[in-house]
Amino acid sequence: MTNEQFQAFLDRHGANSARWPKRQREHAERLIASDARARAIFDAAWRLDDALARHTKAARADDAAVARVHARLASPLPRQKITLWRLPTVLLDWQFAPAWPRVAALACCAALGFVIGIAGLDRRFDIPGAPFAIASRADLGAIVFEPEPLTGARP
Amino acid sequence: MDDSDEALMAQVARGDEPAYRLLTRRHLPAMLGLARRILGNAADAEDVAQEAMLRVWTHAPRWQPLAAVRTWLTRVVVNLCLDRKRRVPWIDLDAAGEIADPAPGAGEKAEHNERERLLAAAVAELPARQRTAIVLTYSEGMSNAQVADILDTSVSAIETLLVRAKQNLRRALGHVIDEDQLR
């Protein structure tokens, strides 16, 4: 590594050896230990880094400036930007947690109603002749309006 | 209750204003400081910080947790600063006078202030992206990879920016560095 390359290396990675790539660290440290010119370059890079860190960290925001921006943000906030394709996701994000017992009860009622409807448990079997009555009501239209099967005569 | 940045951001996305206020209180000082260091101008930095925090509110429903909230916010602030620098080039040489100075004696203090003024002027004259790379590296302590992520570029591009920035600084501060006066 020439001195120019070492200078570029320090510019890229800084003078703090903890930030140096492992592959080049040992070589760079050997160069600093053995070459006076490289040591001078390293010292100058260290001073520049130190000054830059001090300078950039000094320009912190003061409390008054923070308070001013907070005050400007206190006014009513603008509308949030929600794209249409995000709406289903917004609905999915809906918080059901506080209402989960009611939602569970509703789901149980719906499932129970479905089972009762499928199984026919809502029909009354204890009335004599009820199946016939149901069948006769269902076939009433056919009896009244269909033609006679044997003769073809209409009512 | 989970008050991590990501959890708060999810609440903000649902329009939760108290969560937004908490997130603002947490990040505004750092973002304002970052904007001030990049822009070198307090008034512009306040505008940028306000705009960035408003974007947290308006863009929250679209926010994807691909990166940390802090990283995303830093990227927003940096982009707003670079946009502003492109529109209105600004060099604030007066800012150097506001830097805290722990110098022991009055004579040494004046000398120190002069050196700091030279350094502030040299940093202020750097092109915006070089200056941003310097600020993110030395003020925020970011690695080259993190700076590349914020500036949405490659690590080698950041290394080039740093090399050029330091060449410019050495050119502007040559005698100060050589004479070991930046301490």
Side-chain angles (χ1 to χ4, degrees), chain A residues 7 11-12 19 47 49 51 54-60 68 72-73 77-78 80-81 83 86, chain B residues 12 15 21 37 46-47 50 57-58 61 64 99 116 119 137-138 142 144 159 166 170 177 180 182:
Chain A
Q7 178 74 73
D11 287 349
R12 281 196 302 272
R19 291 172 64 106
R47 285 196 296 277
D49 278 12
R54 205 175 53 241
H55 167 72
T56 52
K57 283 178 180 165
R60 294 273 173 208
R68 273 196 301 276
R72 281 153 70 174
L73 289 169
L77 294 166
Q80 290 185 311
K81 293 181 179 175
T83 49
R86 285 278 297 168
Chain B
V12 174
R21 300 286 176 204
R37 286 189 289 278
E46 287 179 27
D47 289 347
Q50 182 190 2
W57 171 256
T58 54
Q64 299 287 314
I99 295 169
E116 291 293 339
L119 180 62
T137 301
Y138 289 98
M142 290 184 179
N144 291 355
E159 289 176 355
K166 289 182 186 177
R170 270 196 298 275
I177 296 174
D180 195 11
L182 274 176

Side-chain angles (χ1 to χ4, degrees), chain B residues 124-152:
Chain B
E125 282 174 10
L126 289 175
R129 285 177 71 82
Q130 289 179 19
R131 181 176 175 162
T132 304
I134 289 286
V135 167
L136 292 175
T137 301
Y138 289 98
S139 169
E140 307 297 312
M142 290 184 179
S143 66
N144 291 355
Q146 288 170 313
V147 177
D149 186 34
I150 295 291
L151 286 173
D152 196 21

Side-chain angles (χ1 to χ4, degrees), chain B residues 48-150:
Chain B
V48 162
Q50 182 190 2
E51 174 65 23
M53 297 319 294
L54 277 177
R55 284 194 186 187
V56 170
W57 171 256
T58 54
H59 289 61
R62 296 173 173 182
W63 183 74
Q64 299 287 314
L66 302 174
V69 172
R70 174 76 176 233
T71 306
W72 175 71
L73 198 49
T74 304
R75 197 177 296 149
V76 170
V77 169
V78 166
N79 286 335
L80 286 171
C81 288
L82 292 177
D83 283 350
R84 192 165 280 254
K85 286 290 246 186
R86 262 194 292 274
R87 279 188 279 127
V88 188
W90 180 283
I91 298 171
D92 185 12
L93 301 183
D94 296 336
E98 299 171 19
I99 295 169
D101 186 0
E108 282 181 20
K109 187 176 179 181
E111 204 174 309
H112 178 84
N113 281 347
E114 175 60 14
R115 287 197 299 270
E116 291 293 339
R117 194 192 66 75
L118 286 172
L119 180 62
V123 172
E125 282 174 10
L126 289 175
R129 285 177 71 82
Q130 289 179 19
R131 181 176 175 162
T132 304
I134 289 286
V135 167
L136 292 175
T137 301
Y138 289 98
S139 169
E140 307 297 312
M142 290 184 179
S143 66
N144 291 355
Q146 288 170 313
V147 177
D149 186 34
I150 295 291

